[in-house]
Amino acid sequence: MLKNNIFKIIIALSIILTVFIGCQKKEDKNKLYVGTNAEFEPFEYREGDNIVGFDIDLINEIAKLIGAEIEVVDMQFDGLLPALEAKKIDLIIAGMTATEERKQFVNFSEPYYNSKQSIVVLSNNTDITTFDNFAGKKVGVVLGYTGDILVSEMTNVEVQKFNATSETILALKSQKVDAVVLDYEPAKNYVAQNKELKLIETDSATEEYSIAMRKDDTELLTKVNDALKTINENGTYETLLSKYFEN
């Protein structure tokens, strides 16, 4: 009899545990893990322990419209797509360009920002004014960024790859590289904060930043695109632009 009662108790506890886990999964259904790389001011960067920026505000506004809770996960840029594929995160917002190569593996939302590549050099550098001057030079890029893709295709250029934007800037300031290639807005921010640096605008092709999701998350893609459309129509997008970028 005792053994029978113990067995019944175990069965009952198992049922309770199963129901509890089921409820937890249901509660977590509306939670999205958002991958980013908080080295890309003003799009995503750290203020103390908090990750802030244009992209973070944007994804928070999207989350409100689609009824989701989000948790931002900071990681190296070149680890974002593998993390998405491995389902460690649900989407990526990180100033990521929707390239044709990336589109083979993930879905991208409608574009939310247009950018170009720029060059950062020391303020006393007169040798480099365009990409054409890179021959024979050491050029710093962030691994996986558009600048990495662009410079790696150039001939007679020594490409130095770094894991973070701040590392490329430190390498430039310590003269370990002759120039750095970055997206325009982050480059402009670093130059504004470092008087010994100079920004060079280029005629590189315009690129579009988009939010990345897994190929099979078509419902999420539709929701994100609908939210982006609403944000553009109701003035929220312009408000965010004014907050983070000079007019």
Side-chain angles (χ1 to χ4, degrees), residues 10-152:
I10 291 172
I11 293 295
L13 288 173
S14 298
I15 293 170
I16 292 169
L17 183 61
T18 301
V19 171
F20 175 76
I21 291 171
C23 290
Q24 286 295 101
K25 286 182 178 179
K26 188 175 182 181
E27 288 173 4
D28 291 341
K29 202 173 180 182
N30 289 328
K31 186 169 186 178
L32 297 173
Y33 290 88
V34 179
T36 196
N37 173 237
E39 281 269 346
F40 203 62
E41 189 176 355
F43 294 93
E44 40 269 327
Y45 58 99
R46 287 191 175 272
E47 280 187 350
D49 294 330
N50 298 319
I51 301 173
V52 298
F54 178 83
D55 281 356
I56 306 305
D57 281 5
L58 181 64
I59 199 63
N60 273 302
E61 293 296 332
I62 291 170
K64 289 178 191 175
L65 289 171
I66 67 177
E69 177 189 351
I70 66 167
E71 182 172 327
V72 178
V73 184
D74 185 22
M75 61 183 71
Q76 291 181 2
F77 188 85
D78 64 324
L80 288 168
L81 288 174
L84 184 65
E85 293 275 349
K87 298 188 176 182
K88 293 180 179 179
I89 54 176
D90 299 300
L91 51 80
I92 298 168
I93 187 164
M96 180 173 281
T97 305
T99 64
E100 291 304 317
E101 182 180 358
R102 288 170 179 158
K103 286 178 183 178
Q104 295 177 37
F105 306 101
V106 298
N107 280 332
F108 280 104
S109 69
E110 292 297 319
Y112 66 86
Y113 194 86
N114 292 333
S115 184
K116 283 190 172 187
Q117 294 300 296
S118 59
I119 302 167
V120 181
V121 295
L122 294 175
S123 55
N124 61 0
N125 187 315
T126 57
D127 295 334
I128 297 174
T129 56
T130 70
F131 291 134
D132 294 335
N133 303 133
F134 279 179
K137 305 292 185 183
K138 294 180 181 178
V139 180
V141 297
V142 181
L143 192 63
Y145 278 23
T146 304
D148 177 14
I149 299 168
L150 179 67
V151 179
S152 295

Side-chain angles (χ1 to χ4, degrees), residues 54 58 61 112-113 228-247:
F54 178 83
L58 181 64
E61 293 296 332
Y112 66 86
Y113 194 86
L228 281 171
K229 183 180 179 182
T230 299
I231 286 167
N232 272 283
E233 291 174 347
N234 66 14
T236 302
Y237 185 80
E238 287 300 323
T239 301
L240 294 180
L241 282 181
S242 300
K243 179 179 177 180
Y244 288 100
F245 306 102
E246 293 178 9
N247 293 327

Side-chain angles (χ1 to χ4, degrees), residues 143-241:
L143 192 63
Y145 278 23
T146 304
D148 177 14
I149 299 168
L150 179 67
V151 179
S152 295
E153 293 176 348
M154 297 179 183
T155 57
N156 198 27
V157 178
E158 186 176 334
V159 186
Q160 300 283 331
K161 302 189 180 191
F162 299 88
N163 289 319
T165 309
S166 56
E167 292 177 11
T168 66
I169 297 298
L170 286 173
L172 177 60
K173 291 167 72 173
S174 60
Q175 300 183 46
K176 293 179 181 178
V177 295
D178 301 299
V180 165
V181 176
L182 289 173
D183 295 58
Y184 176 74
E185 289 294 342
K188 186 175 74 170
N189 270 279
Y190 275 104
V191 170
Q193 296 167 17
N194 296 272
K195 293 182 179 179
E196 67 270 43
L197 302 181
K198 178 171 61 176
L199 178 68
I200 300 171
E201 296 187 37
T202 73
D203 59 356
S204 65
T206 299
E207 56 196 82
E208 297 177 330
Y209 295 166
S210 296
I211 302 167
M213 285 151 277
R214 283 183 291 276
K215 282 283 189 183
D216 57 353
D217 282 343
T218 53
E219 183 180 350
L220 179 59
L221 178 64
T222 299
K223 288 180 179 180
V224 169
N225 280 333
D226 288 345
L228 281 171
K229 183 180 179 182
T230 299
I231 286 167
N232 272 283
E233 291 174 347
N234 66 14
T236 302
Y237 185 80
E238 287 300 323
T239 301
L240 294 180
L241 282 181

